[in-house]
Amino acid sequence: MTDLLLRDALLPGRTALTDLLVSGGRVAAEGTGLPSGPQEIDLGGRLVLPAFVDAHCHLDKTLWGGPWVPNTAGPRLQDKIDYTRTRRGEFGVASADRIEALLRHVVSLGTTRVRTHTDVSPEFGLQGFHAVREAAERLAGHVTVEQVAFPQYGMLTNPGTAELMAEALRTGLAQVVGGIDPAGLERDPVRHLDVVFGLAAEHGVPVDLHLHDRGTLGAWEYDLIIERTLATGMRGRVTIGHGYALGDADPARQTEIARGLAEAEISVVTCAAHSDPVLPILTLRDAGANLAAGNDGIRDLWSPYGDGDMLARAHRIAERAELYADAEIELALAAATHGGARALGLPAHGPTVGSVADLVVVEARTQAEAVMSRPARTLVLFEGTVVAQ
Ligand SMILES: [Zn+2]
């Protein structure tokens, strides 16, 4: 790995330009007038950000890069579930080629770390895991992809699913155990968490649960997950995706839950998709709870929406959360960078000395400007290697 000198870089929060020396996959030095190396890139005063982390997506379902597939699913939730479950084979889902096309696209937009929730169900077994793994292997050295064993169609309510999740974890196809609506879908929250946390303990993996349940039911499930995390010594290894109920709760209850999340070091991931509630970003910050961001579905059988761009996602989160001050807009960007890395248990990355050199360079002067303008990405580095330019 040759050293790379990035000349005339603008770092977040600064006004004066500097140089960055990238060596051994890390940012090794920073300062003006660093000596020239064998490889040098003039950034021309552009802003250097930490590369993006998509902490919640569904690569296995994507149709990206293929011919347009008209969505003919009905309007109800059950229609969408049936459609994605029964017609995936007809549209070639999951496809390593489609997933590879999407991964190439997101890397070009500055994403270098991905956690994806891969469907598990007896009708199609672990097919999605093999497709995602194959695509990720083709993109090795550009992006890392972590797979969650995700019971999209239920676990207790879909016999055979828990056994397949265990198989995915045992064989290393999945690195994280998932879960879904312990009460609303599964109708037995205690037993659902018994199985999910049991699999986590057995295989030594983190937990990442989808929680769509709304209102007081969903808020109560937050309590259950916080309690379970503390009781099982899983502090720092649990993530809740969507978690709309936290957006529904009144301010006092939001604070109470956010403090519980901080104590248990549970990360929450917001996608700000559709009209669903965004999480209370300022309350989470005040409580010291970690917020990450993700794209959720990207042009798939479930939804034709999504473009894979985490900077656009940060913009969407900021707008939906009604963040106006630059310092608040920066929180939405942090969710798409450092917050995601923390949720995934990754070491610090970004343009600070000693950090992993996963970087993205944009035509902007400040972080808030980058979020609002969503400018082109002129350079992307993965562990110090140029992966898009
Ligand atoms: Zn999801």
Side-chain angles (χ1 to χ4, degrees):
M1 200 181 291
T2 43
D3 289 0
L4 170 65
L5 189 69
L6 301 174
R7 278 269 186 239
D8 284 345
L10 181 62
L11 301 188
R14 307 256 194 103
T15 51
L17 304 185
T18 188
D19 300 336
L20 292 176
L21 176 67
V22 175
S23 179
R26 290 183 179 266
V27 177
E30 184 242 304
T32 50
L34 292 177
S36 293
Q39 209 191 342
E40 192 170 319
I41 299 173
D42 184 355
L43 299 187
R46 293 184 186 88
L47 183 65
V48 183
L49 298 172
F52 305 121
V53 178
D54 187 337
H56 183 124
C57 63
H58 295 268
L59 296 179
D60 61 317
K61 290 181 169 79
T62 195
L63 301 163
W64 193 269
W68 182 258
V69 174
N71 189 316
T72 55
R76 297 170 309 144
L77 177 65
Q78 193 59 45
D79 297 331
K80 291 181 169 57
I81 290 170
D82 293 345
Y83 187 76
T84 53
R85 191 175 183 174
T86 59
R87 301 196 64 183
R88 50 187 279 147
E90 191 184 323
F91 298 115
V93 171
S95 156
D97 291 340
R98 299 280 77 83
I99 298 163
E100 180 192 352
L102 178 55
L103 283 172
R104 286 192 187 283
H105 174 67
V106 303
V107 168
S108 77
L109 294 169
T111 293
T112 56
R113 309 284 170 174
V114 174
R115 177 180 279 182
T116 187
H117 294 255
T118 306
D119 286 2
V120 180
S121 193
E123 307 94 302
F124 46 82
L126 302 178
Q127 188 258 345
F129 290 88
H130 294 284
V132 171
R133 183 162 76 174
E134 187 181 331
E137 282 172 358
R138 293 180 197 168
L139 270 291
H142 293 67
V143 59
T144 58
V145 179
E146 187 174 58
Q147 297 198 68
V148 183
F150 174 48
Q152 169 81 75
Y153 309 106
M155 183 180 68
L156 304 176
T157 53
N158 188 14
T161 300
E163 290 77 4
L164 283 166
M165 291 166 66
E167 188 185 331
L169 294 163
R170 190 172 55 244
T171 55
L173 283 166
Q175 298 81 42
V176 183
V177 58
I180 187 166
D181 295 327
L185 179 70
E186 292 278 83
R187 304 193 169 275
D188 192 341
V190 172
R191 202 152 72 84
H192 183 85
L193 295 180
D194 284 347
V195 175
V196 169
F197 279 79
L199 286 168
E202 191 182 337
H203 299 280
V205 294
V207 168
D208 195 332
L209 297 143
H210 273 67
L211 184 57
H212 311 90
D213 287 338
R214 304 286 300 266
T216 52
L217 178 66
W220 174 65
E221 289 173 85
Y222 267 99
D223 295 339
L224 291 182
I225 296 165
I226 291 165
E227 278 171 24
R228 183 67 67 115
T229 300
L230 293 171
T232 53
M234 285 288 285
R235 193 186 246 126
R237 294 183 39 88
V238 175
T239 299
I240 296 172
H242 303 310
Y244 305 135
L246 183 55
D248 293 333
D250 64 56
R253 185 75 170 109
Q254 286 180 336
T255 297
E256 182 186 20
I257 292 172
R259 286 180 180 158
L261 293 170
E263 186 195 354
E265 295 172 32
I266 295 172
S267 293
V268 284
V269 188
T270 194
C271 301
H274 317 296
S275 60
D276 302 318
V278 284
L279 300 181
I281 293 182
L282 303 180
T283 305
L284 289 164
R285 176 201 58 189
D286 293 345
N290 186 47
L291 176 70
N295 276 295
D296 208 18
I298 305 167
R299 193 174 298 175
D300 57 25
L301 284 179
W302 189 278
S303 162
Y305 291 94
D307 60 6
D309 185 354
M310 286 304 295
L311 194 52
R313 189 62 40 178
H315 178 276
R316 185 171 173 80
I317 291 167
E319 185 173 22
R320 297 258 347 263
E322 299 185 19
L323 306 179
Y324 291 95
D326 281 36
E328 294 179 349
I329 293 165
E330 287 170 11
L331 296 173
L333 183 60
T337 57
H338 294 303
R342 191 170 151 199
L344 270 55
L346 295 168
H349 73 290
T352 46
V353 174
S355 296
V356 174
D358 278 24
L359 307 172
V360 56
V361 178
V362 296
E363 186 79 54
R365 296 293 294 172
T366 73
Q367 297 175 80
E369 183 191 353
V371 173
M372 290 303 122
S373 306
R374 290 154 283 158
R377 314 317 121 83
T378 60
L379 183 70
V380 182
L381 264 57
F382 170 85
E383 294 180 1
T385 300
V386 175
V387 291
Q389 198 167 11

